[in-house]
Amino acid sequence: MLTVTDEVRDALASGRPVVALESTIISHGMPYPQNVEMARTVEGIVRDGGAVPATIAVLHGRPTIGLSPDDLELLASDESVMKVSIRDLPYVVSRGLHGATTVASTMRLAALAGIGVFVTGGLGGVHRGAATSYDVSADLTELSTTSVAVVCAGVKSILDIGLTLEKLETLGVPVLGYRTDEFPSFFSRSSGFPAPLRVDSPAEVAALMAAKWDLGLAGGVVVANPIPAESEIPADEIGGIIDQALADMDALGIRGKDATPYLLGRIVEITSGASLTANIALVEANARLGAAIAVEHAAR
Ligand code: PSU
Ligand code: MN
């Protein structure tokens, strides 16, 4: 049921490095046209790093691994594109709809295609107030079962970072700080929480992936790569802005799958675009690291 481009299929068949990229970040994570520019740039960074990019989405009901420039433009600009997590996949497939895949559904489709490394911006997690809202992203449960390494910049403090790390521990997911002892919080290099484990090279990440899966431990690996220092928004600066965005969301009664896209958009508004610049910079840095990990993974 998958459509895989010839380039991605050939690379996988001959054991060359491939990096999966998600599409919710394009359709529901950033405004147009910066979203499509980011998507193109990131594919270029992966290529420059010696790997084949495979952006993943559902197009006309077909899970599609590897997208054309026109596909990227459609995902970036078409209002009908649904945000598709695991539970939504059968709906868009059976109805022939377009869907932008989250971390959870991109991981699953990447694994089905045989791709082991995936680059994104930030993971979903346990939302603040989850004790009453029950809002815990399906990204976490997917990480517990699907064997793909996810390169991200940590999680935003729109989430409860402490509870997210606890949940990942319960689910048996290794969380690696990349060249850091502190878990990063997306816009900021710090979060106040230690990184559960630390690695210092792409080869170390690839070795850990191999060890995990050779042991028969199915499931993902989180590689938390702090935003480059020159692009970071310090935690004390972004903290109040996130609180404001959360208060605005509550006032509007927005919840469920609309929560994360609303908060991302509202933070861009409040910061007059500064958060978008940071967001793009961190995704680009993750693409550089992800390509290097994919090269090491393929070499094993
Ligand atoms: N966090 C970000 N940017 C994003 C997302 C999360 O900083 O674009 C997107 C990812 O696609 C992630 C999804 O998988 O939001 C999580 O949504 P939810 O909380 O509804 O599971
Ligand atoms: Mn949710």
Side-chain angles (χ1 to χ4, degrees):
M1 290 185 76
L2 301 180
T3 298
V4 184
T5 59
D6 290 343
E7 186 191 21
V8 172
R9 189 182 298 280
D10 290 350
L12 290 169
S14 56
R16 281 181 286 124
V18 177
V19 171
L21 299 161
E22 70 151 301
S23 44
T24 290
I25 191 178
I26 303 171
S27 302
H28 304 99
M30 291 183 192
Y32 185 84
Q34 288 93 339
N35 55 359
V36 67
E37 284 160 15
M38 177 279 303
R40 279 194 225 108
T41 304
V42 163
E43 289 199 352
I45 290 170
V46 169
R47 280 186 202 287
D48 291 346
V52 172
T55 306
I56 294 179
V58 179
L59 296 171
H60 301 288
R62 293 283 301 188
T64 305
I65 319 293
L67 303 181
S68 70
D70 284 351
D71 296 336
L72 293 180
E73 182 69 29
L74 179 146
L75 287 166
S77 57
D78 189 318
E79 297 283 325
S80 77
V81 176
M82 264 181 76
K83 176 183 167 188
V84 173
S85 193
I86 292 291
R87 60 131 193 228
D88 311 297
L89 271 173
Y91 185 86
V92 287
V93 168
S94 62
R95 291 184 175 237
L97 301 175
H98 299 317
T101 48
T102 63
V103 168
S105 50
T106 306
M107 273 183 89
R108 184 74 68 96
L109 294 173
L112 287 175
I115 302 172
V117 179
F118 164 31
V119 163
T120 185
L123 289 182
V126 180
H127 281 257
R128 294 199 207 171
T132 50
S133 71
Y134 251 69
D135 192 350
V136 179
S137 176
D139 293 355
L140 300 187
T141 38
E142 196 59 30
L143 277 161
S144 73
T145 57
T146 296
S147 300
V148 172
V150 182
V151 182
C152 64
V155 301
K156 280 201 179 76
S157 56
I158 58 173
L159 303 174
D160 187 318
I161 296 177
L163 293 189
T164 301
L165 289 169
E166 288 295 342
K167 186 78 188 168
L168 286 164
E169 179 183 359
T170 304
L171 294 170
V173 179
V175 176
L176 314 178
Y178 187 77
R179 295 185 180 159
T180 179
D181 294 316
E182 187 169 359
F183 187 71
S185 63
F186 199 84
F187 297 123
S188 315
R189 294 176 64 83
S190 62
S191 67
F193 292 90
L197 303 164
R198 174 181 173 133
V199 291
D200 289 279
S201 70
E204 286 176 18
V205 178
L208 185 140
M209 291 160 63
K212 182 174 195 215
W213 299 330
D214 287 350
L215 283 164
L217 300 173
V221 172
V222 173
V223 183
N225 183 32
I227 184 171
E230 65 274 16
S231 303
E232 102 166 314
I233 307 179
D236 53 352
E237 221 173 282
I238 199 76
I241 292 164
I242 286 172
D243 291 343
Q244 174 71 52
L246 285 163
D248 293 347
M249 181 177 79
D250 286 342
L252 290 167
I254 292 168
R255 51 184 107 72
K257 71 182 287 193
D258 298 327
T260 301
Y262 173 81
L263 290 167
L264 299 176
R266 186 70 187 117
I267 294 166
V268 173
E269 278 173 16
I270 299 173
T271 62
S272 309
S275 70
L276 180 58
T277 306
N279 197 344
I280 292 168
L282 68 85
V283 177
E284 292 178 1
N286 293 346
R288 275 185 282 278
L289 176 57
I293 294 169
V295 166
E296 294 291 341
H297 178 62
R300 297 184 73 92

